[in-house]
Amino acid sequence: MKPSIPKGTRDFSPLEVARRNYIFDTIKTVFKKYGYQPIETPVMENLSTLTGKYGDEGDKLIFKILNSGDFFEPIQNSKDKIQNSKEALPLISEKALRYDLTVPFARYVVMHQNDIKLPFKRYQIQPVWRADRPQKGRYREFYQCDADVVGSKSLLNEAEFVLIYDEVFKKLGVPVTIKVNNRKLLFGICESAGVPDLFMPITIAIDKLDKVGLNGVQEELGKLEGLNADSITIISKFLSATDANKSIADCIKSLKDLFGNRSETATKGIAEMEEMLGYLEKLRPDASTTLSMTNLKLDITLARGLNYYTGTIFEVQADAGTLKSSIGGGGRYDNLTGMFGLKNLTGVGISFGADRIYDVVEELNLFPTNAIEGVKVMITNAETAAENTALTLLKTLREQGIASELFHELQPGAFGKQLKYANEKQIPFVVVIGSAELQENKFTLKNMETGEQQLLNIDELIKQLS
Amino acid sequence: MKPSIPKGTRDFSPLEVARRNYIFDTIKTVFKKYGYQPIETPVMENLSTLTGKYGDEGDKLIFKILNSGDFFEPIQNSKDKIQNSKEALPLISEKALRYDLTVPFARYVVMHQNDIKLPFKRYQIQPVWRADRPQKGRYREFYQCDADVVGSKSLLNEAEFVLIYDEVFKKLGVPVTIKVNNRKLLFGICESAGVPDLFMPITIAIDKLDKVGLNGVQEELGKLEGLNADSITIISKFLSATDANKSIADCIKSLKDLFGNRSETATKGIAEMEEMLGYLEKLRPDASTTLSMTNLKLDITLARGLNYYTGTIFEVQADAGTLKSSIGGGGRYDNLTGMFGLKNLTGVGISFGADRIYDVVEELNLFPTNAIEGVKVMITNAETAAENTALTLLKTLREQGIASELFHELQPGAFGKQLKYANEKQIPFVVVIGSAELQENKFTLKNMETGEQQLLNIDELIKQLS
């Protein structure tokens, strides 16, 4: 009988909703300033829209929805006996819960291609679902906050995304490192090592560097067929070419030296990196006020697993708190909508991991104390003779737009109990109307934080509360 | 290959998101003013939480989620052969999509009873899912906007809900009729007709009055076992006691005359109605400014199908537009949390039907023209020599918090094409930087609506756009 909720999901109390909205609103404000506009897509997508877009592992983590009506009939009446989940699935499910916001966005662009004007800049803040094993900081239902632009190949977009990250985390007060890289450089490394065909498996191996270290990556690379020791040595040299203590300019110089003329793709990647940095240099606010460039790092080992990235890639890491985890990421893709038949539409996008950001902001104690917009003033209801006056006051305060509440029932003499209620609800002000106040046609306004009391007439009261 | 979305679901474009947020924000502002605070619950609930709460028909309309992993194994390995959907369901699904916001709220209150302070006033604006047959104005994924208070029996709450309805629809500009009734009066009718045991089926019959008329209801009543012609005559007399042309005071008088002393429950219902109206009389703003009381109607035929209501019930109907449908409703319940084992907790709540309200506001052309918060100004990018100046201007405007955009790529000479883009995107202002402007160190600001152009220096430009 005791009710519960599915593991990996959460209820949000008024305080938690207010705090999460504080994060969302901060992100939205910056997105809008840079010209991004909101869209929303359904929670349910056709299963065929999602299947095959996230790899085999991803497919397993998609929450599928049972067909409505007599869902078992197709299994019951199947000519061949249904033996397992794989055979059963297409017969009993054709819808699923959104797994991320990227694939629905690609689907949206293709479906609405005649209505949207390119370049199309959209943001989207909605929950997604994954049947991952729940653990600390990882949920089965969680929010993503994405901004993408499709139909523009300008590197100005990449530069603006760095500024968006910088501005959002500056507003939130969270120190971060923004790592950038370019998939073309990673491809260039494979070319330089003579193994361009192994780009995907090599990228996947490099992507694990954070977890397994350089030795681990080398071990992983050693397992790849067609990759000899010389190639691994060359790759390893590249992976050490950038480090967090070097300026971006120095990192680029090292990479240029290493690449020489060995890879046309790498040369293009370097040019893209330089163009983006050029825009940033012109667009970044004064060093004294925001992005100091010291927290922007070129990290050649940044790979990002998703295989649709083709150019610049981003990752943001919190530099404070115990989590130190990735709290954002994104990149340039040249053919995202190709999966739905619309070819050659380039785009670039970033994502904020709202739940992890919440945890970091909470740990660093950075939520504004006034995040919750509760009732501003409660009127006591403890004096029979004062009830009409109290109701009139309630009406007047609300007409002034002041969020107010009359204690919900008349309890003669129970001033103390009602003050306790206001205190527990963290209502900042209480109006007391006792017989003395009635006689003087005034109100006692009690500041619940300081305990200070003032005897005020109606005009003074409104002025104090507005 | 052509992508689509499940029937009964919708994508929302930036304009639609902005318009829907305009409705949500209007409702939220009023909820907050009356002391209600937001909570959010997961999209997925345990199937056991939802099953049996909406009747057999409702149970069928709940979207169930397939267990993750090897969901078919329990069916495959079942000792008894699984023959149909009913037997299969418990083996392959234990989660479902939220069907409404009321049951999750009851579940929330019970789960968090030690953390919340009574009376607990919450609002909740989230989507819900129903496997209904989609049709015009009815979706499978749609938003509900609910406010409820539990732990307070005061009729002040009911009066405030009338004021909340009134204020929201006044702000939106939609003329409405707010109908009120009391379940105790309906029970009193059954008592007066000598058939208190038939309260539920009689209520269900009366609930259809809108669709089938008085004759239809009488026919329906005729089918009920244990209900004779005399009783039907008595019930019919009551159902004609209120009508839209009578004042509430006259309606109450007629009902009092008809009831006499025949039902204690009815007497209590009348008293509750009068108490609520008493509060309303004191709290309602001046007749000249808001609730005129002419659009508040006592309608004894208002029944509302949901069987958990026990006192006052509400329904709001749009008085303009072709829909004329119910766009809100609610009522008092005495034992909602009883379904989860927490007895005797009284509450009252209302709901706004956001999607229908959207349709009405759209049909009446009442959306504000500035609902969409897009880019305020686009800077042209059509002069190679001006690119640096353009980037610096972009930086300066954004530092002032002005949502701005540089045309995404340099297209020498393409001023006309870029103005066309700004026009199609409904960007209200464009800054042109040509060679003349460069020389004078000024900017041409073009108002895209009026066509007016001004030559301004940077300070004048910022002033114009702020």
Side-chain angles (χ1 to χ4, degrees):
Chain A
M1 195 59 167
K2 237 193 167 127
S4 63
I5 51 176
K7 60 181 176 176
T9 70
R10 291 162 291 170
D11 282 326
F12 291 89
S13 70
L15 180 64
E16 290 162 334
V17 170
R19 288 178 163 188
R20 217 180 42 181
N21 283 342
Y22 162 71
I23 290 173
F24 290 159
D25 290 344
T26 303
I27 295 172
K28 277 182 203 171
T29 302
V30 180
F31 280 165
K32 281 182 193 161
K33 198 163 107 176
Y34 282 80
Y36 288 82
Q37 292 186 344
I39 68 162
E40 289 187 15
T41 63
V43 163
M44 299 196 286
E45 292 276 353
N46 288 324
L47 186 51
S48 58
T49 299
L50 306 185
T51 305
K53 309 303 188 299
Y54 308 105
D56 288 348
E57 269 315 298
D59 280 355
K60 284 185 200 150
L61 301 183
I62 295 171
F63 278 111
K64 287 94 180 175
I65 295 166
L66 208 50
N67 292 340
S68 40
D70 188 4
F71 66 87
F72 200 67
E73 192 268 346
I75 288 185
Q76 184 77 352
N77 293 342
S78 166
K79 261 195 324 204
D80 305 312
K81 186 170 186 300
I82 301 303
Q83 311 268 8
N84 56 43
S85 293
K86 204 180 160 194
E87 290 172 12
L89 184 62
L91 299 179
I92 60 172
S93 172
E94 56 187 26
K95 289 184 285 293
L97 299 187
R98 184 168 58 211
Y99 180 89
D100 71 1
L101 301 177
T102 308
V103 169
F105 171 59
R107 196 261 312 138
Y108 181 98
V109 168
V110 176
M111 263 181 77
H112 301 277
Q113 55 186 293
N114 296 325
D115 305 321
I116 62 181
K117 179 80 194 152
L118 297 178
F120 179 58
K121 298 169 88 169
R122 84 87 173 78
Y123 75 81
Q124 194 169 352
I125 298 183
Q126 291 193 278
V128 302
W129 291 265
R130 295 181 187 178
D132 259 324
R133 210 156 55 85
Q135 50 183 273
K136 189 175 159 33
R138 186 187 288 175
Y139 306 99
R140 294 185 139 193
E141 172 173 318
F142 59 98
Y143 268 81
Q144 290 191 334
C145 312
D146 284 19
D148 287 82
V149 48
V150 289
S152 170
K153 57 185 195 309
S154 169
L155 275 296
L156 176 60
N157 299 300
E158 274 87 336
E160 291 189 343
F161 279 135
V162 172
L163 293 169
I164 287 173
Y165 270 138
D166 182 60
E167 188 164 339
V168 166
F169 288 111
K170 191 178 161 54
K171 276 179 198 273
L172 293 175
V174 176
V176 294
T177 293
I178 304 170
K179 296 183 197 170
V180 293
N181 195 10
N182 193 306
R183 279 286 189 122
K184 293 188 175 70
L185 299 179
L186 291 172
F187 187 77
I189 293 174
C190 299
E191 277 195 323
S192 303
V195 286
D197 291 354
L198 296 178
F199 174 56
M200 279 316 300
I202 290 174
T203 306
I204 289 167
I206 294 175
D207 197 35
K208 295 178 184 155
L209 196 124
D210 256 10
K211 284 175 198 150
V212 300
L214 186 58
N215 288 340
V217 172
Q218 286 170 331
E219 205 172 299
E220 190 94 3
L221 291 174
K223 290 181 201 159
L224 292 179
E225 219 170 302
L227 196 61
N228 61 30
D230 284 355
S231 294
I232 295 178
T233 307
I234 294 174
I235 293 170
S236 304
K237 211 176 275 177
F238 276 104
L239 296 185
S240 314
T242 63
D243 79 60
N245 297 318
K246 274 161 89 169
S247 73
I248 291 192
D250 286 345
C251 291
I252 290 180
K253 198 176 166 306
S254 303
L255 287 172
K256 275 181 169 172
D257 289 347
L258 275 171
F259 277 120
N261 284 321
R262 285 196 283 177
S263 161
E264 226 176 277
T265 310
T267 305
K268 204 160 167 230
I270 297 274
E272 287 183 6
M273 185 66 71
E274 288 181 325
E275 186 176 346
M276 177 182 80
L277 293 171
Y279 281 123
L280 262 182
E281 197 53 53
K282 285 163 196 157
L283 281 178
R284 75 187 176 97
D286 301 331
S288 58
T289 55
T290 28
L291 189 67
S292 62
M293 299 301 262
T294 57
N295 60 355
L296 179 68
K297 296 287 174 195
L298 170 51
D299 181 356
I300 191 71
T301 71
L302 176 66
R304 292 192 70 76
L306 293 167
N307 59 18
Y308 49 71
Y309 292 126
T310 51
T312 305
I313 45 182
F314 309 98
E315 191 159 281
V316 181
Q317 192 184 298
D319 279 340
T322 47
L323 275 169
K324 292 262 168 64
S325 57
S326 164
I327 52 178
R332 162 79 60 176
Y333 39 82
D334 277 336
N335 195 22
L336 187 67
T337 55
M339 60 174 87
F340 299 117
L342 183 62
K343 302 268 185 225
N344 300 319
L345 188 59
T346 186
V348 52
I350 58 169
S351 186
F352 286 83
D355 293 279
R356 288 191 182 167
I357 294 170
Y358 187 106
D359 291 343
V360 172
V361 173
E362 187 167 47
E363 189 188 347
L364 299 179
N365 208 10
L366 292 172
F367 280 115
T369 50
N370 59 355
I372 195 160
E373 298 171 82
V375 170
K376 183 120 187 222
V377 57
M378 187 196 83
I379 305 165
T380 56
N381 195 2
E383 185 89 43
T384 312
E387 204 185 10
N388 277 343
T389 307
L391 285 166
T392 306
L393 176 62
L394 182 63
K395 169 185 154 180
T396 307
L397 291 175
R398 286 186 182 146
E399 278 170 356
Q400 300 296 321
I402 299 162
S404 12
E405 185 169 296
L406 173 65
F407 187 82
H408 72 113
E409 54 188 17
L410 180 65
Q411 299 172 328
F415 285 106
K417 190 181 155 196
Q418 297 185 8
L419 286 175
K420 185 162 168 279
Y421 167 85
N423 197 43
E424 286 174 339
K425 280 231 164 172
Q426 295 181 41
I427 298 171
F429 293 97
V430 167
V431 170
V432 177
I433 319 178
S435 42
E437 286 85 356
L438 273 181
Q439 207 151 20
E440 287 194 59
N441 201 15
K442 290 199 168 178
F443 306 93
T444 294
L445 180 68
K446 186 177 171 76
N447 180 321
M448 295 298 285
E449 206 183 327
T450 64
E452 189 198 352
Q453 297 199 163
Q454 292 173 280
L455 191 67
L456 304 171
N457 68 28
I458 181 69
D459 292 335
E460 294 163 340
L461 182 68
I462 289 171
K463 212 174 147 197
Q464 282 280 333
L465 292 171
S466 293
Chain B
M1 194 61 169
K2 240 199 159 113
S4 63
I5 51 176
K7 60 180 177 177
T9 70
R10 290 162 292 169
D11 282 327
F12 291 90
S13 70
L15 179 65
E16 289 162 335
V17 170
R19 288 179 163 185
R20 217 179 41 182
N21 283 343
Y22 163 71
I23 290 173
F24 290 159
D25 290 344
T26 303
I27 294 172
K28 277 182 203 172
T29 302
V30 179
F31 280 167
K32 281 181 192 163
K33 198 162 107 176
Y34 282 81
Y36 288 82
Q37 292 185 344
I39 67 162
E40 289 187 16
T41 62
V43 163
M44 300 197 286
E45 292 277 353
N46 287 325
L47 186 52
S48 58
T49 299
L50 306 185
T51 305
K53 309 303 189 297
Y54 308 104
D56 289 347
E57 269 314 299
D59 280 354
K60 285 186 199 149
L61 302 184
I62 295 171
F63 278 111
K64 287 95 179 174
I65 295 167
L66 209 49
N67 292 341
S68 39
D70 188 4
F71 64 86
F72 200 66
E73 191 269 346
I75 288 185
Q76 184 78 352
N77 293 344
S78 166
K79 260 194 325 201
D80 306 312
K81 186 170 185 307
I82 302 302
Q83 311 267 8
N84 55 44
S85 293
K86 203 182 159 191
E87 289 173 12
L89 184 63
L91 299 180
I92 59 172
S93 172
E94 55 188 26
K95 290 184 286 294
L97 299 187
R98 184 167 58 211
Y99 180 88
D100 72 1
L101 302 178
T102 308
V103 170
F105 171 59
R107 195 261 313 138
Y108 181 99
V109 169
V110 176
M111 263 182 77
H112 302 277
Q113 55 186 292
N114 296 326
D115 305 320
I116 61 181
K117 179 78 195 156
L118 297 179
F120 180 59
K121 298 169 89 170
R122 84 87 173 80
Y123 75 80
Q124 194 169 353
I125 297 183
Q126 290 193 279
V128 301
W129 291 265
R130 295 183 187 179
D132 259 324
R133 209 156 55 86
Q135 50 184 273
K136 189 175 159 31
R138 188 189 287 175
Y139 305 99
R140 293 184 140 192
E141 171 173 318
F142 58 98
Y143 268 84
Q144 289 192 333
C145 312
D146 284 19
D148 287 82
V149 48
V150 290
S152 170
K153 57 185 196 310
S154 170
L155 274 295
L156 177 59
N157 300 300
E158 274 87 335
E160 291 188 342
F161 279 135
V162 172
L163 293 169
I164 287 173
Y165 270 139
D166 183 61
E167 188 165 338
V168 166
F169 288 112
K170 189 178 161 54
K171 276 179 198 271
L172 294 175
V174 176
V176 295
T177 293
I178 303 170
K179 296 181 197 172
V180 294
N181 194 12
N182 193 305
R183 278 285 189 121
K184 293 187 174 71
L185 298 179
L186 291 172
F187 187 79
I189 292 174
C190 298
E191 277 196 322
S192 303
V195 286
D197 292 352
L198 296 179
F199 174 57
M200 278 317 299
I202 289 173
T203 305
I204 289 166
I206 293 174
D207 197 35
K208 296 180 183 154
L209 196 124
D210 256 10
K211 285 178 196 147
V212 300
L214 186 58
N215 287 340
V217 171
Q218 286 171 331
E219 207 173 297
E220 189 95 1
L221 292 174
K223 291 179 200 159
L224 292 178
E225 220 170 300
L227 196 61
N228 61 30
D230 284 355
S231 294
I232 295 178
T233 307
I234 294 173
I235 293 169
S236 305
K237 212 176 273 176
F238 275 103
L239 296 185
S240 314
T242 62
D243 79 62
N245 298 317
K246 274 161 88 169
S247 73
I248 290 192
D250 285 346
C251 291
I252 291 180
K253 197 175 168 308
S254 301
L255 286 172
K256 277 181 169 171
D257 288 347
L258 275 171
F259 277 121
N261 285 320
R262 285 197 281 179
S263 161
E264 227 175 277
T265 311
T267 304
K268 203 159 169 233
I270 297 273
E272 287 183 6
M273 186 66 71
E274 289 180 324
E275 188 177 345
M276 176 182 80
L277 293 170
Y279 280 122
L280 261 183
E281 198 53 52
K282 285 164 196 155
L283 282 178
R284 74 188 175 97
D286 301 330
S288 58
T289 55
T290 27
L291 190 67
S292 62
M293 298 300 263
T294 57
N295 60 356
L296 180 68
K297 296 288 175 195
L298 170 52
D299 181 355
I300 191 71
T301 71
L302 176 67
R304 293 192 70 76
L306 293 167
N307 60 19
Y308 49 71
Y309 291 127
T310 51
T312 306
I313 44 182
F314 308 99
E315 191 160 282
V316 181
Q317 192 183 299
D319 279 341
T322 48
L323 275 168
K324 293 262 167 60
S325 57
S326 164
I327 52 178
R332 163 77 63 176
Y333 39 83
D334 278 335
N335 195 22
L336 186 66
T337 55
M339 59 174 87
F340 299 115
L342 183 61
K343 303 268 184 223
N344 300 320
L345 187 60
T346 186
V348 53
I350 58 170
S351 185
F352 286 83
D355 293 278
R356 287 190 182 168
I357 294 170
Y358 186 107
D359 291 344
V360 173
V361 174
E362 187 168 46
E363 189 187 346
L364 299 180
N365 208 10
L366 292 172
F367 280 115
T369 49
N370 58 355
I372 195 159
E373 298 171 81
V375 170
K376 185 122 185 221
V377 58
M378 187 196 82
I379 305 165
T380 54
N381 196 3
E383 186 89 42
T384 312
E387 206 186 8
N388 276 344
T389 308
L391 286 166
T392 306
L393 176 63
L394 183 64
K395 169 185 154 180
T396 307
L397 292 176
R398 286 187 182 146
E399 277 170 357
Q400 300 296 322
I402 299 163
S404 13
E405 181 169 300
L406 173 65
F407 187 81
H408 72 114
E409 54 189 16
L410 180 66
Q411 299 172 328
F415 284 108
K417 190 181 154 194
Q418 296 185 7
L419 286 174
K420 186 163 168 279
Y421 167 85
N423 197 44
E424 286 174 339
K425 280 234 166 167
Q426 295 182 43
I427 298 172
F429 293 97
V430 168
V431 170
V432 176
I433 319 178
S435 43
E437 286 85 356
L438 273 182
Q439 207 153 20
E440 288 193 58
N441 202 16
K442 291 201 168 177
F443 305 94
T444 294
L445 180 69
K446 186 178 171 76
N447 181 320
M448 295 298 285
E449 206 183 327
T450 64
E452 190 197 352
Q453 297 199 163
Q454 292 173 279
L455 191 68
L456 305 170
N457 67 29
I458 181 69
D459 293 334
E460 293 164 340
L461 183 68
I462 289 171
K463 211 175 147 197
Q464 282 280 333
L465 291 171
S466 293

